[in-house]
């Protein structure tokens, strides 16, 4: 079916990218049909719990609306009321950063200092160093993976860790390779590109961990299909995309609901003491 999509796109101009507000709505609809966000939250919680009870600082690049970060910030702050927690978010979409700021303020933790910047990582006026820097599904869009990894690693405190969560080039993301328009004149980077960027940066990573998420097709509308391919699909392409997703999906053994494999790889770089 990918060949059908390639044939349908051959000689055609690139599909239009998703506008920021459309991207945000599609992302929300997409995540509502996947269990991956919950898996990521549990994985981050387990990692952050290992940092003990001392002061802690975290930079979240591509923080979005704070729905993933706010629970992590609350958990860090609740370890001890005397524990200083610094939590910084960076995202280029202003409605998301406004939501991030509101989510952090709503936590009401006196020992939590939160700030957010509406900017790309390269442009964000981030000061200081951090115990943890995370890129959760945000490294796809940077112009140079190795340079971004080096810059992020330079922000780490001794024994700090850089966590990059990125999709592998599996069945779901083969659609992006075929249909997504370029991002600032480059294709979107996936997990194998992160591994190559780590090598180019001269860093030594920990073993990559894969979280095996699942995306349900039950109730997946046009916004979900568009987000899956990172482009505004034409009416002629949507049935082909849906048919492809159904072809690569598997049925849940208990409910029978079709789902598409939706894994994410966790790459970790640590700074020496």
């Amino acid at each position: 079916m990918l060949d059908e999509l390639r044939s349908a796109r051959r000689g055609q101009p690139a599909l239009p990218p998703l506008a920021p507000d459309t991207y945000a709505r599609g992302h929300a609809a997409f995540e509502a049909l996947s269990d991956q966000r919950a898996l990521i939250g549990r994985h981050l919680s387990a990692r952050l719990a290992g940092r003990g009870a001392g002061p802690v600082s975290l930079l979240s690049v591509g923080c979005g609306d704070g729905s993933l970060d706010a629970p992590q910030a609350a958990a860090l702050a609740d370890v001890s009321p005397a524990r200083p927690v610094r939590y910084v978010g960076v995202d280029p979409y202003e409605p998301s950063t406004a939501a991030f700021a509101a989510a952090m303020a709503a936590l009401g933790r006196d020992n939590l200092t939160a700030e957010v910047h509406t900017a790309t990582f390269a442009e964000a006026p981030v000061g200081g160093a951090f115990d943890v820097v995370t890129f959760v599904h945000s490294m796809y869009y940077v112009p140079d993976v190795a340079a971004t990894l080096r810059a992020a690693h330079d922000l780490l405190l001794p024994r700090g860790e850089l966590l990059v969560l990125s999709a592998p080039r599996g069945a779901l993301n083969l659609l992006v390779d075929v249909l997504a328009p370029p991002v600032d004149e480059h294709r979107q980077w996936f997990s194998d590109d992160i591994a190559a960027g780590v090598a180019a940066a001269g860093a030594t990573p920990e073993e990559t961990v894969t979280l095996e998420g699942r995306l349900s097709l039950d109730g997946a509308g046009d916004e979900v299909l568009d987000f899956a391919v990172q482009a505004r699909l034409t009416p002629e392409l949507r049935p082909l995309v849906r048919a492809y997703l159904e072809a690569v999906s598997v049925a849940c053994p208990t409910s029978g609901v079709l789902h598409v494999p939706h894994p994410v790889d966790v790459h970790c770089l640590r700074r020496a003491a």
Side-chain angles (χ1 to χ4, degrees):
M1 289 187 181
L2 280 177
D3 287 340
E4 288 184 59
L5 286 165
R6 290 190 183 98
S7 296
R9 295 301 303 148
R10 191 169 292 121
Q12 300 297 314
L15 291 170
L18 299 178
D21 58 338
T22 304
Y23 180 98
R25 290 196 306 271
H27 184 212
F30 185 91
E31 292 294 348
L33 296 177
S34 174
D35 65 353
Q36 190 192 94
R37 178 62 64 98
L39 295 176
I40 291 173
R42 290 195 290 271
H43 184 84
L44 291 179
S45 294
R47 282 186 176 271
L48 295 177
R51 302 208 67 83
V56 64
S57 55
L58 190 148
L59 170 64
S60 175
V61 181
C63 62
D65 61 6
S67 56
L68 182 63
D69 289 296
Q72 306 302 329
L76 289 171
D78 289 345
V79 169
S80 166
R83 175 192 210 177
V85 177
R86 181 189 181 210
Y87 214 108
V88 180
V90 173
D91 196 281
Y93 184 47
E94 193 279 332
S96 290
T97 56
F100 177 95
M104 291 294 176
L107 295 176
R109 281 14 181 225
D110 292 337
N111 57 331
L112 170 64
T113 301
E115 63 186 85
V116 66
H117 304 282
T118 304
T120 65
F121 173 63
E123 297 168 340
V126 175
F130 297 87
D131 295 292
V132 181
V133 177
T134 65
F135 285 74
V136 178
H137 289 310
S138 55
M139 192 67 79
Y140 308 118
Y141 313 111
V142 303
D144 186 312
V145 173
T148 301
L149 289 169
R150 283 192 291 266
H153 188 268
D154 287 346
L155 291 173
L156 293 175
L157 290 163
R159 298 187 180 89
E161 57 184 341
L162 167 60
L163 301 173
V164 180
L165 281 73
S166 183
R169 200 178 300 279
L172 183 59
N173 291 307
L174 289 176
L175 284 171
V176 175
D177 277 345
V178 173
L179 296 171
V183 179
D184 294 331
E185 300 184 358
H186 66 79
R187 63 176 175 79
Q188 290 192 25
W189 313 120
F190 288 107
S191 186
D192 55 339
D193 300 302
I194 306 306
V198 169
T204 303
E206 293 185 355
E207 183 177 355
T208 300
V209 175
T210 300
L211 308 180
E212 300 288 356
R214 303 187 307 177
L215 172 72
S216 171
L217 294 180
D218 190 27
D222 290 349
E223 282 188 332
V224 171
L225 298 181
D226 288 0
F227 186 84
V229 304
Q230 299 285 285
R232 178 62 66 88
L233 290 167
T234 64
E236 296 76 22
L237 288 174
R238 286 198 177 104
L240 293 176
V241 169
R242 190 179 295 276
Y244 170 80
L245 291 174
E246 290 174 352
V248 300
S249 67
V250 295
C252 175
T254 54
S255 67
V257 174
L258 290 177
H259 66 265
V260 179
H262 186 212
V264 60
D265 289 340
V266 183
H267 302 265
C268 179
L269 300 177
R270 291 186 184 272
R271 185 153 197 166

